[in-house]
Amino acid sequence: AQSVTQLDSQVPVFEEAPVELRCNYSSSVSVYLFWYVQYPNQGLQLLLKYLSGSTLVKGINGFEAEFNKSQTSFHLRKPSVHISDTAEYFCAVGGSNYKLTFGKGTLLTVNP
Amino acid sequence: DAGVIQSPRHEVTEMGQEVTLRCKPISGHNSLFWYRQTMMRGLELLIYFNNNVPIDDSGMPEDRFSAKMPNASFSTLKIQPSEPRDSAVYFCASSFRVDEQYFGPGTRLTVT
């Protein structure tokens, strides 16, 4: 079985500050890891994914994440956030069978 | 491509009524997923289809829920009879590879 824990339900930050959204997972097999973003009243959009290879993954909108197998983590980072980054962010774990297990989400609020 | 299309975007119905949600996946995608999102339980996978065949329906809450995929371009999720606890946002997603799912905008269902 797979599970995902997003350690912070809400993260408020000021514009242009750095941000890290934390994600830990558990799985008994090799995994694929994802971060999705959901803007208000919209569906989820893929930010980035880790399948294999380099543990540092770069995605859209200046976000990146680092896969740490020993700590079973996949934290999302951005060095300088914008007001437009305000959204809910979901970490997910998947395997070879198409199924994704999502975390509960982290609401990132960027304040001016 | 228009992306995943869901209809209706909003549905308000009375308890006991039948509700049908519709989804048109992205052309060429061979997997389709139905998710439910609530504040309490987060994002849950209800069922997924591969090549129009239901592969895993273990997330379907109970017999009141049913899903069909009569062809590669259309799927329905039906709730009969509906109950207030079914109020949620229902997402459809489609995929052609294991490492990426494309989400529709969702249907916000309110059962009074």
Side-chain angles (χ1 to χ4, degrees):
Chain A
Q2 299 173 326
S3 67
V4 176
T5 302
Q6 291 185 243
L7 297 161
D8 305 297
S9 60
Q10 297 186 48
V11 174
V13 295
F14 288 108
E15 192 173 18
E16 297 184 4
V19 70
E20 177 179 83
L21 306 184
R22 298 180 292 167
C23 172
N24 287 91
Y25 70 93
S26 66
S27 176
S28 56
V29 297
S30 297
V31 298
Y32 304 141
L33 293 160
F34 306 84
W35 276 98
Y36 281 82
V37 59
Q38 184 180 27
Y39 298 104
N41 300 314
Q42 295 187 26
L44 278 71
Q45 178 184 358
L46 182 67
L47 264 183
L48 50 79
K49 58 189 175 186
Y50 171 80
L51 306 179
S52 63
S54 173
T55 57
L56 184 62
V57 179
K58 294 188 183 298
I60 62 171
N61 301 340
F63 284 92
E64 63 181 33
E66 185 157 17
F67 170 59
N68 188 318
K69 187 174 182 179
S70 62
Q71 296 186 9
T72 60
S73 67
F74 191 55
H75 301 333
L76 181 71
R77 302 186 183 99
K78 186 169 182 178
S80 175
V81 294
H82 304 288
I83 298 286
S84 60
D85 292 323
T86 294
E88 189 144 26
Y89 293 79
F90 293 90
C91 182
V93 60
S96 59
N97 64 357
Y98 286 85
K99 289 185 69 171
L100 290 181
T101 300
F102 286 86
K104 290 289 182 67
T106 297
L107 179 61
L108 174 65
T109 303
V110 182
N111 299 300
Chain B
D1 199 314
V4 176
I5 298 173
Q6 292 187 246
S7 64
R9 292 294 311 275
H10 302 272
E11 177 80 39
V12 180
T13 190
E14 292 184 348
M15 183 174 63
Q17 296 299 305
E18 177 180 295
V19 175
T20 299
L21 312 181
R22 297 173 176 80
C23 175
K24 177 179 170 56
I26 294 173
S27 176
H29 285 190
N30 62 354
S31 290
L32 183 138
F33 309 80
W34 282 102
Y35 291 89
R36 179 172 66 176
Q37 184 179 41
T38 61
M39 290 292 290
M40 290 296 293
R41 300 173 68 90
L43 200 63
E44 304 172 280
L45 177 65
L46 299 178
I47 185 171
Y48 86 91
F49 295 84
N50 186 245
N51 294 324
N52 311 337
V53 176
I55 303 300
D56 185 347
D57 65 355
S58 59
M60 295 286 263
E62 49 198 273
D63 291 345
R64 297 186 297 108
F65 285 69
S66 62
K68 294 182 179 180
M69 192 164 186
N71 57 62
S73 60
F74 184 65
S75 176
T76 59
L77 178 68
K78 185 177 294 186
I79 308 172
Q80 166 63 14
S82 58
E83 297 182 1
R85 60 191 169 123
D86 301 330
S87 297
V89 181
Y90 291 82
F91 288 103
C92 176
S94 70
S95 173
F96 71 100
R97 43 192 277 182
V98 70
D99 62 342
E100 192 155 350
Q101 293 184 17
Y102 294 80
F103 282 75
T107 296
R108 182 174 297 275
L109 173 65
T110 303
V111 183
T112 61

